[in-house]
Amino acid sequence: ELQVTAISPSDGFNDEDTEVSIIGKGFAPGATVKLGATFLSAVQVVSGDLISARVPAGMQAGTYLLIVMNSDGATATLPDAFEMREPPSGASSGCTAGSGPFSALLPLLLLCGLLLVWRRRRTA
């Protein structure tokens, strides 16, 4: 029996795509997935209990019903499954200064720079 039990994450910002995992049972190859009336992209049935997919950017803010449809016509739903949010005003939810693989090094580099300046002033 086709069943949907969870989606992770259960929310995202509408200015960017969101990768999601859908958990349940009875998923079959060729399944399609929708949030409300919007089809998700890059849908891959990983196993009978796991689907990976991409929620497209541009959806209206709100809470959506999740619908999984197998190619044999079986359908399962999960009410209020995904909340699409608008990013905070004045900010982007995408890549910003201080994010990315080197963001953890920034404080260390700043500290080293300050120590060098302090050392030069002290020896001068």
Side-chain angles (χ1 to χ4, degrees):
E1 177 186 349
L2 181 60
Q3 185 178 27
V4 179
T5 55
I7 183 171
S8 180
S10 60
D11 65 348
F13 292 108
N14 64 359
D15 67 338
E16 63 187 16
D17 290 352
T18 303
E19 301 291 329
V20 295
S21 295
I22 300 158
I23 301 155
K25 66 179 187 175
F27 301 144
T32 57
V33 182
K34 295 193 310 183
L35 285 174
T38 303
F39 282 94
L40 275 56
S41 61
V43 174
Q44 289 188 319
V45 177
V46 178
S47 68
D49 13 342
L50 180 64
I51 294 175
S52 67
R54 183 177 304 126
V55 178
M59 291 178 63
Q60 294 294 318
T63 303
Y64 290 88
L65 170 73
L66 175 66
I67 305 163
V68 175
M69 297 160 287
N70 278 343
S71 57
D72 66 359
T75 301
T77 62
L78 185 63
D80 301 324
F82 191 85
E83 181 182 6
M84 184 58 75
R85 299 183 290 147
E86 294 198 16
S89 66
S92 170
S93 59
C95 185
T96 60
S99 68
F102 300 108
S103 62
L105 294 177
L106 185 59
L108 182 60
L109 292 172
L110 289 173
L111 179 60
C112 288
L114 289 173
L115 287 173
L116 285 173
V117 169
W118 176 76
R119 186 174 178 193
R120 284 185 185 163
R121 287 187 179 175
R122 193 169 157 232
T123 57

